[in-house]
Every structure is written in structure tokens, then in C-alpha cells.
Amino acid sequence: ALILDTRNARNDCSLLPTGHLHNSEAFNYGVETWEAYKRGGLSRDLVEEQKKVQEADLLIFQFPLFWFNMPAILKGWMDRVLVQGFAYDLSKAYDGGLLQDKLSLFSFTTGGSQEMYSNESISGNIRYVLWPMQHGIMHFCGVKVLEPHICYAPEHASEEKRKEMLTAWTQRLKTLWKEEPIDCSPEWYFK
Amino acid sequence: ALILDTRNARNDCSLLPTGHLHNSEAFNYGVETWEAYKRGGLSRDLVEEQKKVQEADLLIFQFPLFWFNMPAILKGWMDRVLVQGFAYDLSKAYDGGLLQDKLSLFSFTTGGSQEMYSNESISGNIRYVLWPMQHGIMHFCGVKVLEPHICYAPEHASEEKRKEMLTAWTQRLKTLWKEEPIDCSPEWYFK
């Protein structure tokens, strides 16, 4: 089974398509990337990333939570790689998305403690921040979502606690293929 | 009143601090930017952006919604500009955040129609995607939040409809200073 590694994700925001514009009168970023995908005109680094996604059975996104969200560089990977025609298409979204039969898992570290991300805390349930990533991106493309893997505040944890976190992740990876995806609906996030 | 314009936001992800690292044994991105801020060692473009934020009474973020979120380039502006010591600090967050007495407004366009962002639709209430941006970033820094301004699917709207959208925005801007901020709590987003 192939696992995608996005740690070298770039986000230099260069114009994605190479060669001529599809419509040079009225520039539309979405249309241009869609047309470039269809004619094989996306820049080479994107085509390579798309090939990795195509071959992967499981996409693990590993990152530090920045501002209730993934870091910009990883969001840039999503913005650039998951173009129309490749990841979704007209009326091909959610359960009909183009990246079906794949799994995804968001694994991240936080600055705040677990107590800071509860229903009663001002920062709210950690699941609220997962909606745009898990549902809005992965589910939208037809990718199923496994339970997230969250390491709370490793920066403020003891050496021993940090080792426990790594051991727990190692253990989970061993039986990951037996896990069932979550029910990626509003109920999971907000009820 | 000054309004911040982030349309030229960059996100080249260069190392933020200039000069020596605070701790070259164990690199910690958050600590390095915090220390660099305190010693005046952030790169010049960041200092300029921070100066604009400091002088602004109102921050308007105008963007197309990409993947239930702001585009990476704007997220990169948040990641780079809103560093500890400048925007928040130890136990100085939310109503105690360092950017108090400022207002913010998220103004964006969507690909999907208004009907696609309702409680009953699979894409869920549009307010769900506003939580990380309005609450997790702006409220966290002490900035108050005005009602968002959303133009649904301008790409698929008639020329006449698009003109109406612009007129409505122009009209709103005229009386913006009389508006009251939203109650930026989980109830606004999820109830």
C-alpha cells in the first residue's frame, strides 16, 4: 500500500498551467487549471503530485495545527494539486468524487492542551476545525476519512509523554488497515 | 479610518527571522518568530505588514473561498504576520488578545450556490467554515468580527446579478461603521 508524503509540499503560487491560456480575455483560475489538466498542460511538479495521489491507497497529512487550520504550505498543496477534472468534476463530488477507494487521515500536533479543545472551552471542540479539511476537501473528492490522530501540546509535554505519543502512533499504524472510516456528516462534527 | 489591503500578500515561506537563531540546538518555529519579534529581527516585509495592521481600524479580508477556506496565500499571511508577541501572547488571547479595538470582516465569493450551504445540504451551513477564520484567528487576537459579506457563485450569475452584488457591497460599506460586531461564540456558528 502506498502512502503519500506531502512534507515537501511547495506553495510558490506560480501560475499553474503552462503554455497558452484557454481564455485570455477573462482569466478564471479554476477554468484555466481544469482546461490545463485536460490537455496535460499543468506544470510538471503538479503532475507528479497527482500521480502520487493516484497511486496511493492512503493519504496521511501530518502537520502542526496553525490558526485552527493546516499551515499555508499544505493548504497550497490542496489548492494546487486537487484541481477540477482530477479530484472532482461537474456533479462528481462527495460520494461521487473522483478519488474514490482511497482513505485519508489527518495527523497533527496542537499548541493548546486537550482541555482547551472541548465543547465547554472557548476554543471549542477540536472537531469543528476538522470540518473544512476532512469534509470540505477529502470527502468532497470522494476520499474516505479515518479518525484523526491528534497529539496535544507536545511542546509542553515531558520527554516521557512525548515518547508515549510516538509509541501510540506506531501502534495505531500497525492496525490502520483494519479501521473503519468515520461517518463524515455534520453529526460527527457538531452534535 | 485605515483599511488593510492584503491583496499583495505573499507566502514564500522563507525563514521568518533574520540573523542568528535564538536556539540553534532545537529549532522551534513559534519560539524563533516570537524571539525575533521581540528583538526586532523579523524580515522587513513582515514588519511592514504588522505596521499596517497596527494602524488599521478595520481589516477586510477579500478572497475567493477555496476548499471551504481562504486560499493558501492568504493563510500564509496569517501564519507569517500574526506572530506571538504581536497578535497574542501568553494568556493574552481572545478578549485579552493584543489586537483589541480593531474590527475585521471576511468578504468572499463562493463557487457553490447559497442553497448548497444550508443546514440541510451536504456542504453544511456556511458559518461552519467561518469558525477557524473568524474565531480561531481574529477573535483569538482580540479583533472583533462584523457579519461576513458573501457573494454566492458570481461565476454562474447573470451580469445584472453581479452588478447587484457590487451595489449591495458598496451600500454596506457606507454604513459599516455603524454595525455591531457579531457575538463570536460557538452559538453563532453551530446553533
Side-chain angles (χ1 to χ4, degrees), chain B residues 13-84:
Chain B
C13 299
S14 58
L15 190 66
L16 310 190
T18 57
H20 293 295
L21 289 175
H22 176 73
N23 181 349
S24 55
E25 304 279 303
F27 181 78
N28 180 312
Y29 182 89
V31 168
E32 289 299 333
T33 51
W34 187 16
E35 292 294 334
Y37 174 75
K38 286 191 282 188
R39 71 166 192 269
L42 288 175
S43 65
R44 199 170 52 186
D45 62 325
L46 285 202
V47 174
E48 278 168 24
E49 291 302 303
Q50 289 177 341
K51 192 155 174 279
K52 290 182 211 163
V53 171
Q54 204 69 77
E55 290 172 355
D57 300 302
L58 167 64
L59 313 174
I60 297 181
F61 299 102
Q62 176 71 54
F63 55 93
L65 195 70
F66 279 11
W67 291 117
F68 282 48
N69 216 321
M70 63 186 86
I73 197 167
L74 182 54
K75 178 59 163 53
W77 186 92
M78 307 284 179
D79 289 354
R80 298 176 79 229
V81 175
L82 303 176
V83 305
Q84 183 166 358

Side-chain angles (χ1 to χ4, degrees), chain A residues 37 50-51 53-54 81-88 98-99:
Chain A
Y37 174 77
Q50 289 177 340
K51 191 154 176 277
V53 172
Q54 204 69 76
V81 175
L82 303 176
V83 305
Q84 183 167 358
F86 171 71
Y88 66 97
L98 296 176
L99 302 179

Side-chain angles (χ1 to χ4, degrees), chain A residues 98-133:
Chain A
L98 296 176
L99 302 179
Q100 286 174 45
D101 303 320
K102 294 182 195 300
L103 294 168
S104 64
L105 192 163
F106 287 82
S107 172
F108 56 96
T109 52
T110 67
S113 66
Q114 186 159 13
E115 296 70 44
M116 286 167 71
Y117 292 104
S118 67
N119 282 344
E120 291 71 34
S121 159
I122 188 164
S123 290
N125 197 303
I126 194 73
R127 291 188 177 191
Y128 299 165
V129 311
L130 288 161
W131 172 258
M133 310 184 215

Side-chain angles (χ1 to χ4, degrees), chain A residues 11 28 66-72 75-76 78-79 82 94 122-123 128 131-132 135-137 140-141 155 190, chain B residues 11 28 66-72 75-76 78-79 82 94 122-123 128 131-132 135-137 140-141 155 190:
Chain A
N11 178 33
N28 180 314
F66 279 10
W67 292 116
F68 282 48
N69 216 321
M70 63 185 86
K75 177 58 163 53
M78 308 282 177
D79 288 353
L82 303 176
Y94 293 114
I122 188 164
S123 290
Y128 299 165
W131 172 258
H135 183 77
I137 307 179
F140 190 91
C141 298
E155 207 177 330
F190 309 117
Chain B
N11 180 31
N28 180 312
F66 279 11
W67 291 117
F68 282 48
N69 216 321
M70 63 186 86
K75 178 59 163 53
M78 307 284 179
D79 289 354
L82 303 176
Y94 293 113
I122 189 165
S123 290
Y128 299 166
W131 173 259
H135 184 77
I137 307 179
F140 190 90
C141 298
E155 207 176 330
F190 309 116

Side-chain angles (χ1 to χ4, degrees), chain A residues 77 93 125 160:
Chain A
W77 186 93
N125 197 303
E160 196 190 336

Side-chain angles (χ1 to χ4, degrees), chain A residues 3-21:
Chain A
I3 298 179
L4 179 72
D5 187 341
T6 59
R7 281 173 299 180
N8 295 318
R10 288 169 55 221
N11 178 33
D12 56 9
C13 300
S14 58
L15 191 65
L16 311 190
T18 57
H20 292 297
L21 289 176

